Every structure is written in C-alpha cells, then in structure tokens.
Amino acid sequence: MKKLTCIICCLYGLLTHAQNEIKGQIIDASTNQSIEGANVYLPELEKGTTTDAEGMFYIKNIPNGPQNFIISFIGYGTRSVYYVFPGNDFFKIELNPTVIEMEDIIISTPFHKLQSENVMKVDKESVMELKKQGSITLSEGISNLTGVNTISTGLGIGKPVIRGLSSNRVLVYTQGVRLENQQYGGEHGLGLSSNGVESIEVIKGPASLLYGSDALGGVLYINPEKFAASNATEADVSTAYFSNTRGYNSNLGIKQSGEHYKFIFRAGVTEHSDYQTKNYRVTNSRFREVDLKGGIGYQNRHFKTDLRYNVNLSKLGLPETIGEQSTQRRPLLPYQEVGNHVLSSKSTIFFNSSKLDFNVGLIYNDRKEFEEHHHEDEDHEDEEHEEHEGEDDDLETLEPALHMKLKTLNYDVKYHLPERGKFETIVGVQGMTQSNTNYGEETLIPDATTNDIGVLATSHIHFEQADLQLGVRYDHRRINVFSGLQKHFNSFNAAIGLKTNLFKTLTTRVNLASGFRAPNLAELASDGSHEGTNRYEIGNADLSNENNLQFDLSLEYKSDHLEFFVNGFYNAVSNYIFLSPNGDFIDEDPVFVYLQDDARLYGGEIGFHIHPHPLDWLHFESSFETVTGKRSQNNYLPLIPANALTNVLHAEFENKWLTNGYAFIKNNLVFSQNNTSQFETPTASYQLWSTGAGGTIEVFNNPLDLVISMTNIFDKAYISHLSRLKPDGIFDIGRNFSIELTYRL
C-alpha cells in the first residue's frame, strides 16, 4: 500500500509540476517592425493566439517537455520554433518576407513537422482553396490535388484514387480516427461533408507502418476545423449556389475557447438536382445531405482532450439511364439512404519529458438501398411520384432491398519516448473491432465480425545535414463470417526514409516502404448484385494478403521566385486483387469474380510555380501527372487515371475595400486513356477551362468572404475514365457557375 501511494504521488508530481508559458514578439526581419495579426500555434496542444499591435503574444498553461510552435503570417515564410520546457525565455522571432505560400504543420505523420522538415512527402491543401476552384462536393475537390483522382457515380458519390490505387487500398481518416463506412463498394461514397473541414492531407504510397491494413496505397487525412483561438468567440454563416444543379450548400458555425474549455458546433444542409451536361440532365443524379458537427475540448497543464461528433444523413439518387428531365431535388428510385455517425476522442497526457496519445473512434454506418422491383405497384407509384414530386408519398413507406449496419470501434495509443539526443521515438498499438449486420431482403455482403491489432515503433533521427526516419510494424486481422468462414491474416512491414538538403534551395527525399492489405468482406464472401454496380459479384474465400513494396524519390527546389518539384515512384504489388468477368450471367447481370495476380504501378508528378519579380502578385503554376498499372502478364490494370496536365495563372491583389483578393484562370488537359483492362473501353482526351475570383470585404465592421467560380467554361461534353457512368455513355457535368458568401462574426 505504501508503494502504491508513493507511485501515485510521484505521478501526480510529474503531472502537476508543469506550469509554463511562452511570450514574445514577432517582427519583420528586414525592417524590424512588429507584425500584428501573426498566428502563433502549438500543434501538439491544438492551442494558439495572434499577435497584438506591438507584435506581442502570450500563451500559458504549457506542459513540461518539448514543444514546437509555429509562427505564420501571409507574405512571410513560416517559422517552426522548438523549445523544451520548463523555461522562462522571451522569444523575439523574425519572419522573412516571401511570396512563397505559407507552410502548415503536417498532422498525418506522427512527429507533426512542417512539410519542409518532414521525411515523408505529404501534400496538403485547405478546403477553402478547393472551393475557390469551384468544387461542388468534398470528393470532387480532392481530385484537384496532384496525383489524386476520384471514381465517381454522378456528383453525389465519389471515391479517392491515389496514384492508381483506390477502394480499400486508400485509407481515410477523419477527426483523427479511421473512417469505416463500407467503403469497399464501388457505389459507396465517403459519407463526409466539406462543411467544418479545414484541410486535406494526402500520403501517396504505403503507410501501413503508421496505419496498418488498407493503407497500402496511401492515406487521405481529413482535418476538422480548429477550435477558436484562446479566449475568443467566433461565428460564421455561409451559403453557396450552383447554377448547373440549381443546388445550394448552406451552413453556420460557432466556436468559443476559454483558458481550459472550448467548444464548436456546425450545421449544414445541401441539395442538388440532376446535373446538366451539354445535351441533357443526368436523371437521378440528384442528392440531399444534412450534416451536423460538434465538439468540446478541455486542456490544463498536463492533459488535453478533444471529443467530436459528426452525423451525416444523405439521400443519394443512383443514375442508370437518361430519362426524366427535371430540376426536382427529391431522388427517384433507385436511391440510397445513408446515415454515417463518427464519434471521436483524442487525448494526450503530458509527462515531464514524454507524452501519451490515445485516440478512440466509434463509427456507425446505416446504409439502405431502395430499388424499383421491390415496389408492389410500380407503374402506379411512378405516376404518383411525378404528380407529387417533393411531397411525402408512398416512397417513404418502402422497405429497403439492401440494409446493412456497420459498427466499428477503433483505437490508437502512442507513447512518445523522452528524446535522446538526436532521436525522437514513438511506440504504439492500434486496433479495430467491427461487425457487419444485414436487415434487408437482399444480402450482398454477409454478417461478419472483423478484429485488427497492430504494434509499431518508429524513430526520427536528426543529423546536421539530413533527417532519417525508420520503423517496423506487425499486424494481425481475424474475420469471422457467421456462415462459418474464418480467416486470419498477418503481416510484418517496415519503412525507411531520408531527407537531405543537397543545396540551400534543393531538398531530396528518398523513401522505401512496404505495405499490406487484407481482403475485405466483399472480396471474400460477396454473392449478389445491386444498384450502381451493373454486375453480379462473387467473392473468393481463398484470397490472401496483398503486399507491396514502393520506392519514392522526390526533389524540390525553392527560391524566392521559383519552385520546382519532381516526384517519382515504383510500386510492386503481390497478390493484387481484381474483378474479372467469367462469361456467365445471373438475372441479366454479367458475373464478376475476384482473382489475384502480381502487379506493378509506376509514374509520378512534375511541376513548377513561378512568381516573377517584380510582379510578385502574379503566379503561374503547371503540373503533370502520370501513372501506369500492369499485371504480371503485361495486361493493364482497371481504373487507372489518364495522364493529365494542369496550368493555372493566378493573381493576388488588395486595396482599401478588398483584402485577400484573387483571380485565376485554369486549364486542365486530360489525355486519352488507351491502356485499359480487358473489360474497359478507351477514353478520349478532353480539355476543360475554369476561372474564378474573390476576396474579403467589410460589411457592418465584419468580414464577408466572396468566392465566385465558373468550371467547364465552354460546356465541353466529356466522360472521365473513372466515371461509373462511362459504360452507359453518360457525360460528366457541364458548365457550372457558383457563388459562395461567408459572413464572419
């Protein structure tokens, strides 16, 4: 008993003997003038402030141990300051003027570095920048990132593709936890709204070391909006209109932070009618969405926690043929109703020189699909639906043909060891328990449970001229299908990466990593067809792990007026799982079965960004991306995006009535895709133009943000190679004009 009391007292002393603060001044390095409004942010604590008129800042209640705090301001280079508390220094920090865009902290990698300090190459973009380009949905916006594409079923459903890999090969994180929502289905979207999302990070390549199974192709890390700055209250209301779909997206949010407690709430609603091509509207591509987000946080000098909840309720039409031409927003049969709930908890305990992170996620996905052949009086109901479009009618009483509930609990515990000289080391354990249950008349994917557990260790080693990161991981997955099938999968993975500055302006990153993916329920045990696939799928219980080894090389050159990058990769995948027709038909649908073969993917991205002196307000960006995917016999893999070239001319300006002003014109040239698998058809090349402008004006002493954009200016009729509607010859969206207003209080 005395020993236990002694241990408790020691722990209490470690936790409570830590009351630190940082204060200082931010100045311009060239003029020594103070900078008002600069952001000072501690990413580990998710806590920050802005400088006052004298450039001064002050943050208190900081725990002992190492901390990075990030200083940023538009027009200046971002600074990262490393400091080990306790301490009592006054920080006088100089920022250098630059026309290069501000850097941000990378959250998806374990050591939370600026990208310039990171060993892994991670792309990051704010959602606001994606909206400026006219994106209607989150999945559409993600496809604007270099090396990232979307497999789409109309506008409402989209799945990310990273360097040719998609479905369960790309892992999605939201609110700091792994998102599980039956994402293996080709007609299943993300179930997430762009409202309340701050930024997107993309890891291109195997990330199994950090995230386990399903991160074989990469990770899409979706960062929620931050809480308000310390001792501040913020609110905003936003609405956007889209001419093509006669749709809208409106949301409002409020957040407040005190010294210890903080909260956030956001509510949004979205509705779109069928999208318009050059020649017709795509029948039943309409969708509706209600999205609610809330969060509370608490922090003291030794502990912080962040509890967030998101519910996304959507009704999605499933387009099949070109029929009714209307601008109604109520989906026709067939359609999906999806309720996606994400409850997440992120917490950290700070010790004197180390810390413990533990994240827990509860995800509940309720998916219903309604089909015409389940309606008792089909012709009568079709007439009723046309006469009473938008009203409550008998469609509300339909029983779903397919009804699945997926319940997932996942956890992630990482211990950051005390730093030893040049070494930062993390050890951790991650796991997941999941159940899939059917309630509908049809059963495509059987009732089953899945259990994962993985252990990992990774280190970041700092040298004078280079940084080295390496790690190892072991995973075990068990799948129990209630019909009797039991499967076990194991994998050992490792990664090593090196970042070095060959010259002051040239950075090189070399990474070698292995990854794996255990077969999912659909691949192992599916048996049936439903709307959106146009095929009958049969699982294969004999499938084994997919394993890959990928080599990445990245070169980045940065000077005051020129940025240039080259990324190359080679990805060897063993036991690649793919669907192939076997020549049979069931219920008039072609039968597809799951097979395995070795595969390889290779390609990369190249681009530059010029902002010529003295025209620092003018920017020209260009990027080219390519990927090739082949099986062992040189047959091409399916759903590989076409090569693409993107050019953007961008201008920034300010005057006495407009701040953060901008205007751009963008050209996207997508080349023909003739390297197709045996059941794909080639896709013709196409060229799209878009433009936009916006800025911030003051209305009643508060800022009003204005975003105006036009996509597909010349109303080009085209079909993306990754469109699920391509086999039916249905075009993608035509010209669209959008305007978004955000008023901030």
Side-chain angles (χ1 to χ4, degrees):
M1 186 66 182
K2 289 183 178 180
K3 289 184 178 180
L4 179 60
T5 303
C6 183
I7 292 172
I8 292 174
C9 290
C10 289
L11 278 175
Y12 182 79
L14 287 173
L15 294 173
T16 58
H17 186 66
Q19 186 171 1
N20 305 297
E21 59 187 28
I22 56 172
K23 51 188 175 181
Q25 184 181 30
I26 311 299
I27 62 172
D28 185 307
S30 58
T31 66
N32 287 325
Q33 296 295 310
S34 60
I35 300 176
E36 180 182 3
N39 297 305
V40 183
Y41 187 68
L42 285 82
E44 297 290 337
L45 303 179
E46 300 180 63
K47 186 175 186 178
T49 188
T50 56
T51 55
D52 61 19
E54 286 73 42
M56 305 295 291
F57 67 90
Y58 174 58
I59 302 175
K60 60 182 181 180
N61 288 325
I62 300 173
N64 280 350
Q67 291 288 341
N68 275 309
F69 53 101
I70 311 300
I71 301 95
S72 60
F73 190 65
I74 295 174
Y76 292 86
T78 302
R79 286 281 306 273
S80 174
V81 178
Y82 178 82
Y83 190 76
V84 180
F85 292 94
N88 194 29
D89 290 347
F90 180 88
F91 298 90
K92 192 167 186 177
I93 301 168
E94 297 179 346
L95 294 185
N96 292 301
T98 180
V99 294
I100 298 175
E101 294 179 358
M102 290 190 305
E103 278 193 275
D104 203 354
I105 202 75
I106 300 299
I107 305 299
S108 56
T109 53
F111 298 101
H112 291 186
K113 305 290 185 182
L114 290 173
Q115 179 54 53
S116 60
E117 304 168 334
N118 218 35
V119 174
M120 296 179 66
K121 181 70 171 71
V122 181
D123 288 339
K124 184 171 184 176
E125 188 64 271
S126 71
V127 166
M128 178 52 67
E129 289 299 319
L130 300 180
K131 287 182 176 181
K132 287 178 180 179
Q133 299 180 53
S135 58
I136 296 178
T137 63
L138 180 63
S139 59
E140 183 189 15
I142 290 168
S143 65
N144 287 309
L145 298 171
T146 304
V148 183
N149 301 90
T150 298
I151 297 175
S152 63
T153 305
L155 282 177
I157 300 174
K159 302 176 71 64
V161 180
I162 298 179
R163 288 177 169 175
L165 295 177
S166 59
S167 192
N168 275 73
R169 298 181 182 95
V170 173
L171 187 60
V172 178
Y173 259 61
T174 182
Q175 298 176 189
V177 298
R178 174 183 178 132
L179 179 67
E180 291 290 316
N181 64 350
Q182 297 155 334
Q183 62 269 22
Y184 37 72
E187 70 293 350
H188 297 172
L190 289 176
L192 299 173
S193 168
S194 61
N195 297 332
V197 174
E198 181 177 284
S199 61
I200 310 291
E201 296 178 20
V202 181
I203 300 176
K204 302 172 186 175
S208 291
L209 169 66
L210 304 178
Y211 297 106
S213 178
D214 298 356
L216 176 143
V219 174
L220 194 68
Y221 202 95
I222 300 174
N223 293 312
E225 63 179 311
K226 297 173 184 175
F227 288 99
S230 297
N231 300 309
T233 300
E234 301 173 17
D236 66 83
V237 59
S238 175
T239 187
Y241 174 76
F242 305 91
S243 67
N244 184 284
T245 62
R246 301 191 183 181
Y248 68 89
N249 176 9
S250 297
N251 73 93
L252 58 89
I254 184 170
K255 49 188 176 180
Q256 184 179 56
S257 293
E259 195 56 50
H260 296 291
Y261 292 94
K262 48 192 175 183
F263 81 91
I264 191 168
F265 174 78
R266 184 165 299 277
V269 60
T270 301
E271 284 194 314
H272 291 275
S273 64
D274 297 338
Y275 74 81
Q276 175 81 46
T277 71
K278 185 176 182 179
N279 303 315
Y280 50 78
R281 288 193 178 274
V282 178
T283 306
N284 208 27
S285 59
R286 61 196 74 173
F287 62 96
R288 305 165 67 182
E289 178 184 71
V290 175
D291 188 79
L292 300 174
K293 292 182 171 75
I296 56 175
Y298 172 77
Q299 180 181 327
N300 60 30
R301 58 184 179 270
H302 56 78
F303 174 74
K304 78 173 182 71
T305 187
D306 178 353
L307 180 69
R308 298 201 186 217
Y309 173 66
N310 174 216
V311 56
N312 184 277
L313 305 174
S314 58
K315 184 177 285 190
L316 307 157
L318 295 173
E320 294 183 312
T321 59
I322 304 303
E324 171 194 287
Q325 296 290 289
S326 78
T327 56
Q328 300 295 330
R329 298 190 179 106
R330 182 183 179 84
L332 304 169
L333 290 170
Y335 67 89
Q336 295 178 352
E337 282 187 1
V338 183
N340 201 48
H341 305 254
V342 180
L343 177 64
S344 64
S345 171
K346 295 178 59 182
S347 301
T348 303
I349 298 175
F350 297 95
F351 304 101
N352 273 343
S353 57
S354 63
K355 64 179 181 179
L356 179 69
D357 295 328
F358 52 98
N359 302 339
V360 179
L362 287 170
I363 298 94
Y364 170 55
N365 183 266
D366 186 5
R367 181 177 301 276
K368 300 176 183 178
E369 296 188 2
F370 299 85
E371 303 173 5
E372 289 188 16
H373 62 270
H374 285 266
H375 206 290
E376 294 180 359
D377 192 352
E378 201 168 348
D379 295 334
H380 173 71
E381 292 301 335
D382 285 344
E383 293 174 2
E384 284 287 312
H385 185 67
E386 292 175 2
E387 294 175 5
H388 303 286
E389 187 75 51
E391 299 179 6
D392 291 334
D393 56 24
D394 288 345
L395 287 180
E396 298 297 340
T397 66
L398 280 176
E399 292 296 324
L402 189 71
H403 185 188
M404 293 190 295
K405 294 183 179 181
L406 189 71
K407 301 173 183 177
T408 306
L409 167 67
N410 54 49
Y411 56 89
D412 181 355
V413 181
K414 292 188 177 75
Y415 179 60
H416 299 244
L417 278 68
E419 293 187 19
R420 294 289 183 264
K422 301 176 180 179
F423 286 79
E424 292 181 75
T425 301
I426 297 172
V427 295
V429 58
Q430 295 173 331
M432 177 181 75
T433 180
Q434 182 178 87
S435 66
N436 183 72
T437 310
N438 286 272
Y439 296 88
E441 182 180 333
E442 295 181 4
T443 301
L444 175 65
I445 300 166
D447 295 354
T449 60
T450 302
N451 289 280
D452 284 359
I453 188 167
V455 293
L456 66 99
T458 180
S459 290
H460 190 125
I461 309 169
H462 304 271
F463 299 101
E464 287 188 10
Q465 301 297 326
D467 288 90
L468 178 69
Q469 187 172 322
L470 48 86
V472 293
R473 178 182 178 120
Y474 173 78
D475 283 273
H476 174 77
R477 168 170 286 190
R478 183 179 75 251
I479 297 177
N480 292 323
V481 181
F482 291 177
S483 61
L485 176 67
Q486 294 189 359
K487 300 290 290 185
H488 295 262
F489 302 96
N490 302 281
S491 184
F492 178 85
N493 291 282
I496 184 169
L498 177 70
K499 180 193 79 75
T500 184
N501 294 328
L502 297 179
F503 306 100
K504 184 179 180 180
T505 55
L506 183 63
T507 301
T508 302
R509 292 180 175 88
V510 181
N511 283 274
L512 181 65
S514 66
F516 88 104
R517 182 179 75 90
N520 61 46
L521 274 176
E523 294 162 337
L524 291 170
S526 62
D527 187 7
S529 62
H530 57 93
E531 308 298 336
T533 62
N534 298 320
R535 60 194 179 207
Y536 192 102
E537 298 180 7
I538 298 177
N540 182 351
D542 296 324
L543 296 175
S544 56
N545 274 349
E546 289 183 340
N547 293 279
N548 75 327
L549 183 66
Q550 179 166 315
F551 173 78
D552 284 271
L553 176 63
S554 171
L555 296 174
E556 299 173 55
Y557 172 83
K558 282 191 177 184
S559 66
D560 288 341
H561 301 285
L562 173 64
E563 299 174 58
F564 177 80
F565 70 88
V566 179
N567 305 322
F569 75 95
Y570 184 88
N571 188 4
V573 186
S574 61
N575 300 319
Y576 183 92
I577 300 171
F578 62 96
L579 272 170
S580 178
N582 66 1
D584 296 335
F585 286 82
I586 297 178
D587 296 332
E588 299 182 353
D589 289 331
V591 175
F592 280 69
V593 295
Y594 287 95
L595 303 175
Q596 287 190 297
D597 192 6
D598 292 343
R600 63 189 186 278
L601 298 96
Y602 51 89
E605 305 87 34
I606 184 171
F608 62 86
H609 178 186
I610 300 174
H611 24 82
H613 184 73
L615 305 178
D616 294 337
W617 52 270
L618 186 65
H619 302 256
F620 178 70
E621 299 178 62
S622 181
S623 64
F624 174 76
E625 58 189 81
T626 179
V627 59
T628 300
K630 290 185 176 182
R631 290 165 48 192
S632 60
Q633 301 302 317
N634 278 333
N635 297 324
Y636 287 103
L637 294 176
L639 298 175
I640 299 297
N643 297 342
L645 174 66
T646 302
N647 295 298
V648 182
L649 185 64
H650 182 93
E652 298 172 345
F653 49 87
E654 293 198 22
N655 54 45
K656 63 181 180 180
W657 58 270
L658 179 71
T659 58
N660 302 322
Y662 71 92
F664 75 89
I665 185 166
K666 177 181 178 180
N667 173 258
N668 185 225
L669 173 61
V670 180
F671 296 88
S672 60
Q673 178 56 289
N674 299 310
N675 299 332
T676 58
S677 70
Q678 60 184 3
F679 59 91
E680 287 183 308
T681 56
T683 306
S685 64
Y686 55 89
Q687 188 170 193
L688 303 176
W689 290 85
S690 60
T691 186
T696 302
I697 59 177
E698 191 171 285
V699 178
F700 302 120
N701 298 319
N702 289 305
L704 175 68
D705 300 328
L706 173 66
V707 175
I708 301 173
S709 63
M710 181 179 289
T711 56
N712 196 357
I713 296 174
F714 300 108
D715 207 16
K716 174 73 175 178
Y718 72 100
I719 302 178
S720 166
H721 186 68
L722 300 185
S723 170
R724 290 283 185 183
L725 306 181
K726 178 175 177 283
D728 299 313
I730 297 176
F731 292 130
D732 286 62
I733 188 170
R735 182 190 298 118
N736 179 57
F737 171 82
S738 64
I739 180 170
E740 180 171 359
L741 300 172
T742 301
Y743 189 60
R744 291 180 280 133
L745 301 174

